[in-house]
Amino acid sequence: MQKEKPFYTYCDIEHWEGNWELIDGVPYLLASPSFEHQYVVGQLHLALASYFQARGCHVILAPFDVQLDPEEPERMAKTVVQPDLSVVCRVEQIGNRRMKGAPDLVVEVLSPSTALRDRNQKYYLYEKYGVHEYWIVDPSNRTIEVLSWQDGRFQQRAVFGPSDELVSFWQPDLTVSLAPVFPPEESDV
């Protein structure tokens, strides 16, 4: 007889040690990120901050809780994630300890421990809750995949490399030169 997995809510995990995400009641401990991961997150934050601040939006770094379903009572929430970067243009969504509802743009930087979750469960969550644009950054392959939400699903997709200038579908005047985003490869040093 197979044992049923326990189901958790935010009130169960809020005081646990470490940084946790909760996806459909399943808790995931977030590993300490690598230098490469943090380098990429930092460079993208620098690239996005002035563009979005000029438009009244906020670029939020992890760890910061995002409760995707704003209707769920906070302590009973069963899906609370911590995207590497979130862009939020509806400032009323942002509380002191978390934001409620889908960010406008989410950036996830893949690592060995999170890649499958970022490409699968989080992809479907961000699509379900209407994130306008989802950037999946793959530091190993030095690419950023841009997915744009339209009519209830991610419809447009483009992949950019380190010699490209990323162009947003959601904000077509947003361009990011990717050359400085990835740390130099050992052969580049």
Side-chain angles (χ1 to χ4, degrees), residues 21 23 28 30 113-122:
E21 289 186 315
I23 298 176
Y28 297 93
L30 299 176
S113 64
T114 66
L116 285 175
R117 194 165 51 250
D118 291 340
R119 288 195 175 279
N120 291 300
Q121 289 131 305
K122 285 186 168 182

Side-chain angles (χ1 to χ4, degrees), residues 8-10 12-14 16-31 37 62-68 77-86 106-109 111 113-118 121-122 125-126 134:
Y8 293 89
T9 63
Y10 188 75
D12 295 317
I13 70 163
E14 69 180 320
W16 290 0
E17 285 280 321
N19 289 320
W20 290 84
E21 289 186 315
L22 191 59
I23 298 176
D24 295 326
V26 178
Y28 297 93
L29 176 63
L30 299 176
H37 181 279
F64 190 73
D65 288 340
V66 174
Q67 179 183 324
L68 291 167
K78 58 185 179 297
T79 299
V80 179
V81 294
Q82 293 185 358
D84 291 312
L85 288 171
S86 300
V106 167
V107 178
E108 294 284 11
V109 179
S111 62
S113 64
T114 66
L116 285 175
R117 194 165 51 250
D118 291 340
Q121 289 131 305
K122 285 186 168 182
L125 281 174
Y126 297 149
Y134 180 26

Side-chain angles (χ1 to χ4, degrees), residues 160-189:
F160 300 91
S163 61
D164 295 329
E165 193 161 279
L166 182 152
V167 179
S168 169
F169 293 111
W170 170 54
Q171 297 286 320
D173 60 333
L174 169 61
T175 58
V176 177
S177 174
L178 296 187
V181 167
F182 298 100
E185 293 183 290
E186 288 181 24
S187 61
D188 294 345
V189 178

Side-chain angles (χ1 to χ4, degrees), residues 37-184:
H37 181 279
Q38 292 304 88
Y39 184 94
V40 170
V41 169
Q43 293 300 319
L44 286 172
H45 184 267
L46 287 172
L48 297 175
S50 63
Y51 175 88
F52 282 108
Q53 285 173 351
R55 286 152 181 81
C57 303
H58 297 280
V59 181
I60 304 170
L61 290 157
F64 190 73
D65 288 340
V66 174
Q67 179 183 324
L68 291 167
D69 184 351
E71 302 304 315
E72 219 168 24
E74 282 188 22
R75 294 184 44 78
M76 298 312 293
K78 58 185 179 297
T79 299
V80 179
V81 294
Q82 293 185 358
D84 291 312
L85 288 171
S86 300
V87 174
V88 184
C89 296
R90 296 166 305 245
V91 294
E92 67 275 5
Q93 289 181 270
I94 303 170
N96 191 42
R97 294 178 40 104
R98 77 169 71 174
M99 71 163 290
K100 288 180 123 186
D104 295 289
L105 167 66
V106 167
V107 178
E108 294 284 11
V109 179
L110 302 180
S111 62
S113 64
T114 66
L116 285 175
R117 194 165 51 250
D118 291 340
R119 288 195 175 279
N120 291 300
Q121 289 131 305
K122 285 186 168 182
Y123 171 96
Y124 292 112
L125 281 174
Y126 297 149
E127 184 178 62
K128 175 182 176 180
Y129 287 101
V131 170
H132 294 300
E133 200 158 86
Y134 180 26
W135 296 7
I136 302 174
V137 183
D138 185 344
S140 298
N141 291 310
R142 300 167 67 88
T143 60
I144 299 180
E145 182 177 357
V146 176
L147 301 150
S148 180
W149 190 88
Q150 197 174 25
D151 299 325
R153 53 187 294 243
F154 289 129
Q155 302 241 3
Q156 294 179 295
R157 177 184 175 270
V159 179
F160 300 91
S163 61
D164 295 329
E165 193 161 279
L166 182 152
V167 179
S168 169
F169 293 111
W170 170 54
Q171 297 286 320
D173 60 333
L174 169 61
T175 58
V176 177
S177 174
L178 296 187
V181 167
F182 298 100

